[in-house]
Every structure is written in C-alpha cells, then in structure tokens.
Amino acid sequence: MHSQHADRRSRPTRRAVLGTIAGVAAAGTAGGYAWQQRGHGNGNGGGSDVGGGGAGSDSSARRGGGHTFERLSAPDRTVVRDSGGDTIATFTDGARTAVLTGPSRRFEEPRTTDATLTTNAWVRVLPHEWQPGMEKSAWFKGWFTKALGDTSPDVFAVAFQYSSAGAPGKHNSSGVRYAGTAHFGPRNQGVGNPLDFAYHDEQSDFYDYLGIPWTFPDGTLVQPEKARYGDVDCSGFQRLVWGYRMGIALDNTNAKGTGLPRRAFAIAAYGPGRLVIPDTGEQPTDLGVLQPGDLVFFAIIKDQPKLIDHCGMYMGLDDQGRHRFYSSRSAANGPTMGDLSGRSLLDGTDFYARGFRAARRL
C-alpha cells in the first residue's frame, strides 16, 4: 500500500473534545506577528534552567576553550558554563536539539493573545545526535565557536516565519515560496463555527505548503494538493520547520523509522531524539524537565482519550510565568502562540493543558 495513505486518512470529526472549550481569548488589537531583539538578557524564559543545575549532577566537569563542560542526568546531558558559572548551552544525549544563550528576544501575537514571551534561549540543530564526550571532537569545537555568536534565524525564528498572524513571504532561487503566512487547511463547508476544531481541514503536510512534489528516502514520491497550497497542519508544521528547514530527516509513514514520522502520535512514539516526558495517560505536573524547542503532545479527541492527536513546540515561560507552546491550529488557521479556542498553555486547567501528555526533544 502506498505509504501516503497514512497521511491522507479519514478521521473522526475533529475533537468534539474533553468537554467545554476553555479560554477563548479576546481578539485583542489588530496586528500580527513580531519578535524583536531586546539586547542581552539574563532570564532564559524556559521552564527550567536551560541546562539545569538541580538534581542529577555527576560532579564531573572539564574545561575547554574557557568553558566548563558538566555532565547532568534526568535526562543525560552536557551543559556548558561560562567563567561565572552561568549556563550558556545544553546538549542532550541522543538528541540534535541544542539550546544556547544569546540576545534576548520578545515573541508576541496580539491578534490572538495578550501574552508575550521574552527569552534568551536560541534553539539550534546539531549536525549529529549528541553523545558524551563530543565536546572533544574537532567538528564540535568549530561548530560551537560559530554558534555562540550566531544571531541568524534559529528554530524559533524560523517557526515564526509561518505565523498565521502575518509573516512576509520568502522565495528561493527557484521561485518556491519557502516561508510566509501559513494556514491550517482548506475550509470545511459543513462546519459553521469558526472556533470549531474542524472548521479548517487537517492533512496538509509540508510539501502541500510548499506546493512541490517530494521524494522521501524510501523512494516514495508524493504530490501536493493544489487546494492545500500554503497550508500545514500541526505535525506538518513541525515537519516543515524541523525537517524541510532545519535538516532533520523526514519519513512518510507512521511507523518507526530513521526520521520524523507524519502524524503527532507517531512522532511522540517513534520520532528521533529523546522522550523527556513519557505518555502515562495523565497530564504531567512536573514540567521542570522541559527546555525550549521540545515537541509537546496532546490527547484532545473526546471519544479517543488515549490518542495523541496534536503537537506543538514548547517556547518557555510567558510574561505571566505560564508554560506556553506554539502550534498550527484550526481556530487561528495556522501557526499560533495564541489563545483562540483554547489557551496555548501546558500548565493549569485550560483545554490544552488538560490534554497535555508527552514531550520529545528532537
């Protein structure tokens, strides 16, 4: 069977969900997407120290290039500290996600939320999965020296290049629009409420947004649907950012493979990297293990309470001290950090928080 069948699947009516939809925010002022550099800040805005101190230190530390490399556990990782002892980078065993400290930036989306998020965490993708001792390798020394001073778009900045609140179009030399305002999917004519989760249809992958055919490593060739040009659903959005833009391998199935699977449940179960919060079927209460850039997963279909069916990207603590994430959603009609039809929060009793189940560090 053609593996694309796993992607263009029939689904139950989208999320008649866990009860009454909580936290529909006021539209707020018109305007859209923005993030601005605010100079050099001290707070990282993450759910925990970006690298941590805390429990799990094995007390081993090495110096290299004027920095201290320390091993911590839960999860196993290497943190880099400057001469003053401040964490400047975190590398997690088995993952390619690296978080470095850099200039402070503010992310906001006044169309859909009053919340803002200021962070000095810069999320980068390593060329290799991190393993203990890699700080001694020649490739790392060159990469790290460059990355410490790099203010080119990181994962967060790239993700916001698709904001549904309005992001400028970007085209490559072949004329392909590779960035710019993204929408969630085609309009479902049978659904009248714009805040309903089925108002816009799912099943739009990254190649639909791009409008180009794509050949996966297994040789499968997929064609974009014209009606889905510029559209990307929740997992398709993560594949667009982490795969197409940041270079992590992509698969076209929902089975265990070498790259990023298609659907949210498969990414949670079989994706590359490291599962940092396993799915126990309950809302996690200890969020201290999270770091900016982690993928977060939700079970939010009322009649399928154990099915992971939504995913997003953890950003850190917003200006209210709440754990905020960024995802492509129907009510906002694309990528959002906002609160239309459910607040983009992991903690508390709001709709998505109640459905939060797991987290993976790619």
Side-chain angles (χ1 to χ4, degrees):
M1 181 179 291
H2 196 286
S3 59
Q4 189 180 4
H5 291 174
D7 306 343
R8 308 293 194 203
R9 71 272 182 199
S10 60
R11 301 282 304 276
T13 300
R14 181 77 174 169
R15 308 179 182 107
V17 283
L18 295 173
T20 304
I21 296 172
V24 177
T29 52
Y33 129 98
W35 65 263
Q36 301 107 16
Q37 288 191 185
R38 302 292 188 189
H40 292 271
N42 292 323
N44 77 52
S48 60
D49 180 6
V50 180
S57 174
D58 65 4
S59 75
S60 63
R62 296 178 297 281
R63 289 204 167 269
H67 303 120
T68 299
F69 295 82
E70 182 179 359
R71 289 291 294 169
L72 299 176
S73 59
D76 294 338
R77 62 200 188 277
T78 300
V79 299
V80 188
R81 304 189 191 279
D82 63 16
S83 58
D86 292 330
T87 299
I88 58 173
T90 301
F91 307 99
T92 302
D93 293 5
R96 290 179 61 186
T97 300
V99 179
L100 297 94
T101 299
S104 183
R105 302 170 289 174
R106 190 175 87 167
F107 294 87
E108 57 189 16
E109 191 184 310
R111 182 179 72 99
T112 57
T113 183
D114 293 331
T116 63
L117 188 144
T118 301
T119 180
N120 65 4
W122 289 65
V123 182
R124 301 286 181 189
V125 176
L126 292 163
H128 312 285
E129 290 184 354
W130 184 260
Q131 298 298 331
M134 274 189 168
E135 68 272 15
K136 300 176 183 177
S137 64
W139 74 263
F140 174 78
K141 294 174 183 177
W143 183 93
F144 190 52
T145 299
K146 180 180 179 181
L148 279 178
D150 189 3
T151 55
S152 66
D154 69 332
V155 172
F156 279 176
V158 167
F160 271 75
Q161 289 178 0
Y162 302 95
S163 173
S164 60
K170 298 178 182 292
H171 296 76
N172 64 20
S173 59
S174 299
V176 174
R177 189 187 71 155
Y178 67 88
T181 305
H183 298 299
F184 186 82
R187 172 83 167 81
N188 277 329
Q189 297 302 320
V191 179
N193 182 357
L195 295 182
D196 192 296
F197 289 112
Y199 192 73
H200 295 98
D201 190 38
E202 305 186 282
Q203 305 180 39
S204 299
D205 205 354
F206 70 96
Y207 53 83
D208 292 307
Y209 173 88
L210 299 166
I212 59 174
W214 192 264
T215 302
F216 288 90
D218 65 358
T220 302
L221 172 65
V222 293
Q223 298 289 341
E225 292 186 17
K226 290 182 180 180
R228 296 179 182 276
Y229 177 68
D231 296 343
V232 66
D233 66 15
C234 66
S235 53
F237 176 53
Q238 301 303 329
R239 284 156 62 85
L240 180 63
V241 172
W242 292 94
Y244 179 75
R245 293 294 302 278
M246 309 309 294
I248 289 180
L250 292 165
D251 291 335
N252 192 43
T253 71
N254 293 314
K256 186 175 180 59
T258 59
L260 206 58
R262 172 60 181 102
R263 287 184 58 188
F265 80 86
I267 297 173
Y270 309 125
R274 181 94 179 238
L275 195 64
V276 293
I277 296 180
D279 181 8
T280 66
E282 302 291 337
Q283 178 184 355
T285 56
D286 182 2
L287 306 185
V289 70
L290 290 172
Q291 72 176 23
D294 286 351
L295 294 193
V296 287
F297 302 92
F298 306 83
I300 50 178
I301 298 180
K302 185 177 181 180
D303 59 355
Q304 293 182 293
K306 294 184 178 180
L307 175 65
I308 297 294
D309 197 51
H310 186 69
C311 62
M313 181 189 301
Y314 178 63
M315 295 188 68
L317 296 181
D318 65 18
D319 60 330
Q320 301 298 312
R322 304 294 298 277
H323 295 270
R324 188 162 290 271
F325 68 93
Y326 190 67
S327 68
S328 185
R329 288 157 52 180
S330 177
N333 196 17
T336 182
M337 62 176 278
D339 298 325
L340 288 175
S341 199
R343 299 184 188 278
S344 295
L345 299 174
L346 301 179
D347 57 313
T349 59
D350 294 295
F351 171 70
Y352 282 99
R354 296 199 312 273
F356 176 42
R357 293 292 179 268
R360 177 174 290 278
R361 190 164 301 160
L362 295 182

